Structure formats: C-alpha cells, structure tokens
Amino acid sequence: TTLLQFKKVSKQYGSSTVALSDVNFSVNEGELVSIIGPSGAGKSTLLRCINRLIDATSGEIIFDGMDVLSIGRRNLKKLRTKIGMIFQNYNLVERLSVFENVLHGRLGYKTALVGALGFYHEEEKARALEILKSLGLEEQIYKRCDQLSGGQKQRVGIARALVQEPRVLLADEPIASLDPSSSKVIMDHLKNICETFGITVLVNLHQLDVALNYSDRIIGISSGRVVFDGMPSALTHDA
Ligand code: ADP
Ligand code: ADP
C-alpha cells in the first residue's frame, strides 16, 4: 500500500531559487528508498517538505492519508509524531545525556528538562532503554552526547526517532559525516529497522554505491527534478 505520494510538488526559495520542480513519486509502506543526487539537487528540501519543516510552494503531498500541505496546527503535531527524522549533524542536545536526548524525542524539549529530574513514566524509560540496547548503546546511556563519537551520536539520533514509534524514518545525509565503518553500521541499522519493524525509510545519500547496496528503490534527483526512479538493478544492468 502507498504510504507517501508527491504530486507535482515544487519548492521555490525567494524569487529565484527553484529547489524542487514538478516532483512526482510514491513510496510504499515498508520500502527503503534512497534519494541520490549531487549537493544542491534538492534532497534535503524534499525530505523536509514531508514533515513540514519546509512548506512546499505548490503541488500535493499525501502521507498516510493526510493532505500534508493543508493540515492545520493540531494535525501538524499528529503528522510529525508519525515521522521520525535524523540529520547529518545529529541535532542532539549535546550537554544532555543519551537517555535524556532519546526521551526528548517523544516528550519535547521542556519535558526533557523535567525528565532530567526524574519524572518520566517507567514504561517510556523501559522502551527507550530497549531501543538503545538494540542499537548497541547500553554502555553510553548516561554519558553526555558531547562525549560520543559521530557514529554513536547518529545511533542516538535513530533511537530518538524510534521512541515516537514513527511510520516513516527520514534520514537526511545520515552518513555524510562518518567514516566508512561507522557508515556501514548506520546503514545496517536503517535496513534492519525497515525489515524488522516495517518502518518505511527514506534516506538521502550522495554515494551511489551505498544506495545500490541497501535500497529497495532509488530516486535520483538533479536540479530539483526526478531524473530516475527505479530498482537498483535497473542502474547496474544498464551500465
Ligand atoms: P541537497 O540536500 O540536495 O544538497 P537542498 O535541498 O539543501 O539540496 O538545496 C536545494 C537548493 O535550494 C540549493 O540551490 C540550495 O542552495 C537552495 N536552498 C536550500 N535551502 C535554502 C534556504 N533556506 N533558502 C534559500 N535557498 C535554499
Ligand atoms: P539543520 O541544522 O540540519 O539544517 P534545522 O536546524 O534546520 O536542521 O532543523 C532541524 C531541527 O528541527 C532539529 O533540531 C530537530 O530537533 C527539529 N525538528 C522539528 N521538527 C522535527 C521532526 N518532526 N522530527 C525531527 N526533528 C524535528
């Protein structure tokens, strides 16, 4: 079944920069889709239109039956809880612990400060712990994030996204700041999350080899336009 659909989506910044131009594609539930293209192609803009961190200029985005571009404030919150996101630069609260960052994902920043004083529900803590363990972070739980390696920080980012029990995980260049071995760990986790929990994954990458290895499908974009949409095998067999 279709989880996400872009119909003639365009995004213009200011009066001259066209970041997305007439973008059409759809994503099925449980797919791992890589979005590839050079820097400036529009990949980050595309992902951010899905959870409305950015507002598309025109077109239609349907996510899980919701008309993303026309929903109001209250439903925007509901939309965002279904969408987890991770970033190239992690976007963690560096001076808080791993555990606090992960709980902050579900409860919001203010609540994280309250939670630091010990007011989380036991079931929320148990769930966060379980997710952190599954990502190999059991020994880092009480460390501050500024003491972690890049690969560990990105795993905290994944954990923070997963505690909210999202339908989809958006990953914006999640391995662009990591060395090859940490990159493999992160991509293996994304694949595993997709296969084990059926969470749909959309991942921006600029390395074609990684996309070929891990994706069910690849969407290529260049200058804001979709220039390829197909299985990895279509790219390898054509060459
Ligand atoms: P990518 O993720 O593929 O590197 P982006 O979506 O970040 O591409 O950027 C697409 C285009 O939009 C680029 O030309 C970029 O300079 C421009 N752009 C991105 N964000 C903004 C912004 N906030 N204001 C103006 N232009 C932007
Ligand atoms: P970057 O620094 O990578 O350009 P931004 O600062 O533009 O990223 O936006 C990312 C910030 O938005 C993060 O701090 C993140 O916590 C926050 N954010 C807002 N909505 C969401 C969401 N639905 N999922 C994840 N993060 C979100």
PDB file of all heavy atoms in Angstrom, residues 48 51 53 80 83-85 87 89 91 104 160 164, ligand 2:
ATOM      1  N   ARG A  48      12.301  17.515   3.953  1.00  0.00           N
ATOM      2  CA  ARG A  48      11.734  18.463   4.921  1.00  0.00           C
ATOM      3  C   ARG A  48      10.326  18.924   4.552  1.00  0.00           C
ATOM      4  O   ARG A  48       9.603  19.437   5.410  1.00  0.00           O
ATOM      5  CB  ARG A  48      12.675  19.656   5.106  1.00  0.00           C
ATOM      6  CG  ARG A  48      13.865  19.277   5.961  1.00  0.00           C
ATOM      7  CD  ARG A  48      15.044  20.208   5.776  1.00  0.00           C
ATOM      8  NE  ARG A  48      16.233  19.544   6.291  1.00  0.00           N
ATOM      9  CZ  ARG A  48      16.894  19.949   7.376  1.00  0.00           C
ATOM     10  NH1 ARG A  48      16.522  21.019   8.026  1.00  0.00           N
ATOM     11  NH2 ARG A  48      17.951  19.274   7.787  1.00  0.00           N
ATOM     12  N   ASN A  51       7.592  16.485   6.482  1.00  0.00           N
ATOM     13  CA  ASN A  51       7.128  16.781   7.858  1.00  0.00           C
ATOM     14  C   ASN A  51       6.911  18.274   8.091  1.00  0.00           C
ATOM     15  O   ASN A  51       6.782  18.712   9.235  1.00  0.00           O
ATOM     16  CB  ASN A  51       8.080  16.188   8.902  1.00  0.00           C
ATOM     17  CG  ASN A  51       9.486  16.733   8.806  1.00  0.00           C
ATOM     18  OD1 ASN A  51       9.766  17.604   7.987  1.00  0.00           O
ATOM     19  ND2 ASN A  51      10.378  16.229   9.650  1.00  0.00           N
ATOM     20  N   LEU A  53       8.886  20.781   7.902  1.00  0.00           N
ATOM     21  CA  LEU A  53       9.936  21.680   8.386  1.00  0.00           C
ATOM     22  C   LEU A  53      10.092  22.776   7.341  1.00  0.00           C
ATOM     23  O   LEU A  53      10.527  23.887   7.630  1.00  0.00           O
ATOM     24  CB  LEU A  53      11.263  20.934   8.584  1.00  0.00           C
ATOM     25  CG  LEU A  53      11.342  19.928   9.731  1.00  0.00           C
ATOM     26  CD1 LEU A  53      12.732  19.336   9.845  1.00  0.00           C
ATOM     27  CD2 LEU A  53      10.940  20.562  11.060  1.00  0.00           C
ATOM     28  N   ARG A  80       3.727  14.942  12.622  1.00  0.00           N
ATOM     29  CA  ARG A  80       5.146  14.843  12.979  1.00  0.00           C
ATOM     30  C   ARG A  80       5.450  13.683  13.916  1.00  0.00           C
ATOM     31  O   ARG A  80       6.569  13.166  13.899  1.00  0.00           O
ATOM     32  CB  ARG A  80       5.633  16.171  13.563  1.00  0.00           C
ATOM     33  CG  ARG A  80       5.824  17.200  12.470  1.00  0.00           C
ATOM     34  CD  ARG A  80       6.316  18.508  12.993  1.00  0.00           C
ATOM     35  NE  ARG A  80       6.596  19.427  11.886  1.00  0.00           N
ATOM     36  CZ  ARG A  80       6.762  20.722  12.027  1.00  0.00           C
ATOM     37  NH1 ARG A  80       6.685  21.277  13.226  1.00  0.00           N
ATOM     38  NH2 ARG A  80       7.023  21.479  10.978  1.00  0.00           N
ATOM     39  N   ILE A  83       6.402  10.724  11.924  1.00  0.00           N
ATOM     40  CA  ILE A  83       7.574  10.889  11.066  1.00  0.00           C
ATOM     41  C   ILE A  83       8.810  11.123  11.922  1.00  0.00           C
ATOM     42  O   ILE A  83       8.934  12.161  12.572  1.00  0.00           O
ATOM     43  CB  ILE A  83       7.365  12.075  10.097  1.00  0.00           C
ATOM     44  CG1 ILE A  83       6.122  11.836   9.229  1.00  0.00           C
ATOM     45  CG2 ILE A  83       8.606  12.290   9.240  1.00  0.00           C
ATOM     46  CD1 ILE A  83       5.757  13.005   8.330  1.00  0.00           C
ATOM     47  N   GLY A  84       9.720  10.164  11.932  1.00  0.00           N
ATOM     48  CA  GLY A  84      10.982  10.351  12.640  1.00  0.00           C
ATOM     49  C   GLY A  84      11.992  10.938  11.681  1.00  0.00           C
ATOM     50  O   GLY A  84      11.923  10.699  10.473  1.00  0.00           O
ATOM     51  N   MET A  85      12.939  11.711  12.218  1.00  0.00           N
ATOM     52  CA  MET A  85      13.940  12.278  11.314  1.00  0.00           C
ATOM     53  C   MET A  85      15.318  12.249  11.941  1.00  0.00           C
ATOM     54  O   MET A  85      15.464  12.501  13.140  1.00  0.00           O
ATOM     55  CB  MET A  85      13.555  13.712  10.934  1.00  0.00           C
ATOM     56  CG  MET A  85      14.401  14.265   9.801  1.00  0.00           C
ATOM     57  SD  MET A  85      13.638  15.693   8.988  1.00  0.00           S
ATOM     58  CE  MET A  85      14.718  15.842   7.559  1.00  0.00           C
ATOM     59  N   PHE A  87      19.564  13.516  11.097  1.00  0.00           N
ATOM     60  CA  PHE A  87      20.259  14.570  10.365  1.00  0.00           C
ATOM     61  C   PHE A  87      21.751  14.265  10.228  1.00  0.00           C
ATOM     62  O   PHE A  87      22.324  13.549  11.050  1.00  0.00           O
ATOM     63  CB  PHE A  87      20.105  15.895  11.119  1.00  0.00           C
ATOM     64  CG  PHE A  87      18.670  16.291  11.377  1.00  0.00           C
ATOM     65  CD1 PHE A  87      18.004  15.866  12.523  1.00  0.00           C
ATOM     66  CD2 PHE A  87      17.982  17.070  10.457  1.00  0.00           C
ATOM     67  CE1 PHE A  87      16.676  16.237  12.757  1.00  0.00           C
ATOM     68  CE2 PHE A  87      16.648  17.439  10.682  1.00  0.00           C
ATOM     69  CZ  PHE A  87      15.999  17.025  11.830  1.00  0.00           C
ATOM     70  N   ASN A  89      24.150  16.211  10.924  1.00  0.00           N
ATOM     71  CA  ASN A  89      24.886  16.696  12.097  1.00  0.00           C
ATOM     72  C   ASN A  89      24.183  16.356  13.413  1.00  0.00           C
ATOM     73  O   ASN A  89      24.400  17.011  14.428  1.00  0.00           O
ATOM     74  CB  ASN A  89      25.179  18.184  11.949  1.00  0.00           C
ATOM     75  CG  ASN A  89      26.095  18.420  10.758  1.00  0.00           C
ATOM     76  OD1 ASN A  89      27.073  17.683  10.556  1.00  0.00           O
ATOM     77  ND2 ASN A  89      25.757  19.377   9.925  1.00  0.00           N
ATOM     78  N   ASN A  91      21.867  16.827  15.389  1.00  0.00           N
ATOM     79  CA  ASN A  91      20.898  17.680  16.089  1.00  0.00           C
ATOM     80  C   ASN A  91      20.520  17.155  17.467  1.00  0.00           C
ATOM     81  O   ASN A  91      19.350  17.135  17.839  1.00  0.00           O
ATOM     82  CB  ASN A  91      19.637  17.887  15.241  1.00  0.00           C
ATOM     83  CG  ASN A  91      19.847  18.915  14.143  1.00  0.00           C
ATOM     84  OD1 ASN A  91      20.610  19.853  14.322  1.00  0.00           O
ATOM     85  ND2 ASN A  91      19.203  18.723  13.024  1.00  0.00           N
ATOM     86  N   HIS A 104      13.580  13.019  25.027  1.00  0.00           N
ATOM     87  CA  HIS A 104      13.205  14.328  24.495  1.00  0.00           C
ATOM     88  C   HIS A 104      12.512  14.184  23.134  1.00  0.00           C
ATOM     89  O   HIS A 104      11.606  14.933  22.798  1.00  0.00           O
ATOM     90  CB  HIS A 104      14.463  15.193  24.443  1.00  0.00           C
ATOM     91  CG  HIS A 104      14.581  16.172  23.319  1.00  0.00           C
ATOM     92  ND1 HIS A 104      13.699  17.203  23.134  1.00  0.00           N
ATOM     93  CD2 HIS A 104      15.503  16.290  22.332  1.00  0.00           C
ATOM     94  CE1 HIS A 104      14.094  17.911  22.061  1.00  0.00           C
ATOM     95  NE2 HIS A 104      15.152  17.375  21.575  1.00  0.00           N
ATOM     96  N   ARG A 160      16.249   8.293  19.166  1.00  0.00           N
ATOM     97  CA  ARG A 160      15.311   9.390  19.454  1.00  0.00           C
ATOM     98  C   ARG A 160      14.137   9.375  18.474  1.00  0.00           C
ATOM     99  O   ARG A 160      12.992   9.632  18.848  1.00  0.00           O
ATOM    100  CB  ARG A 160      16.045  10.735  19.376  1.00  0.00           C
ATOM    101  CG  ARG A 160      15.166  11.921  19.735  1.00  0.00           C
ATOM    102  CD  ARG A 160      15.905  13.238  19.683  1.00  0.00           C
ATOM    103  NE  ARG A 160      16.427  13.502  18.347  1.00  0.00           N
ATOM    104  CZ  ARG A 160      17.134  14.581  18.027  1.00  0.00           C
ATOM    105  NH1 ARG A 160      17.419  15.489  18.950  1.00  0.00           N
ATOM    106  NH2 ARG A 160      17.570  14.754  16.808  1.00  0.00           N
ATOM    107  N   GLN A 164       9.321   7.527  19.258  1.00  0.00           N
ATOM    108  CA  GLN A 164       7.986   8.065  18.968  1.00  0.00           C
ATOM    109  C   GLN A 164       7.160   7.111  18.102  1.00  0.00           C
ATOM    110  O   GLN A 164       6.043   7.436  17.721  1.00  0.00           O
ATOM    111  CB  GLN A 164       8.093   9.464  18.353  1.00  0.00           C
ATOM    112  CG  GLN A 164       8.700   9.468  16.957  1.00  0.00           C
ATOM    113  CD  GLN A 164       8.972  10.876  16.438  1.00  0.00           C
ATOM    114  OE1 GLN A 164       9.360  11.759  17.179  1.00  0.00           O
ATOM    115  NE2 GLN A 164       8.780  11.084  15.137  1.00  0.00           N
TER     116      GLN A 164
HETATM  117  P1  ADP B   2      19.957  21.516  10.210  1.00  0.00           P
HETATM  118  O1  ADP B   2      20.754  22.103  11.344  1.00  0.00           O
HETATM  119  O2  ADP B   2      20.352  20.085   9.894  1.00  0.00           O
HETATM  120  O3  ADP B   2      19.833  22.376   8.987  1.00  0.00           O
HETATM  121  P2  ADP B   2      17.486  22.544  11.233  1.00  0.00           P
HETATM  122  O4  ADP B   2      18.092  23.251  12.399  1.00  0.00           O
HETATM  123  O5  ADP B   2      17.016  23.306  10.052  1.00  0.00           O
HETATM  124  O6  ADP B   2      18.476  21.338  10.770  1.00  0.00           O
HETATM  125  O7  ADP B   2      16.201  21.756  11.717  1.00  0.00           O
HETATM  126  C1  ADP B   2      16.333  20.611  12.463  1.00  0.00           C
HETATM  127  C2  ADP B   2      15.716  20.855  13.835  1.00  0.00           C
HETATM  128  O8  ADP B   2      14.296  20.729  13.768  1.00  0.00           O
HETATM  129  C3  ADP B   2      16.213  19.828  14.806  1.00  0.00           C
HETATM  130  O9  ADP B   2      16.726  20.475  15.940  1.00  0.00           O
HETATM  131  C4  ADP B   2      15.015  18.997  15.159  1.00  0.00           C
HETATM  132  O10 ADP B   2      15.023  18.611  16.516  1.00  0.00           O
HETATM  133  C5  ADP B   2      13.850  19.913  14.853  1.00  0.00           C
HETATM  134  N1  ADP B   2      12.609  19.237  14.417  1.00  0.00           N
HETATM  135  C6  ADP B   2      11.444  19.867  14.204  1.00  0.00           C
HETATM  136  N2  ADP B   2      10.502  19.026  13.829  1.00  0.00           N
HETATM  137  C7  ADP B   2      11.078  17.794  13.816  1.00  0.00           C
HETATM  138  C8  ADP B   2      10.611  16.487  13.497  1.00  0.00           C
HETATM  139  N3  ADP B   2       9.371  16.235  13.119  1.00  0.00           N
HETATM  140  N4  ADP B   2      11.475  15.466  13.582  1.00  0.00           N
HETATM  141  C9  ADP B   2      12.727  15.689  13.950  1.00  0.00           C
HETATM  142  N5  ADP B   2      13.219  16.889  14.271  1.00  0.00           N
HETATM  143  C10 ADP B   2      12.411  17.946  14.192  1.00  0.00           C
END
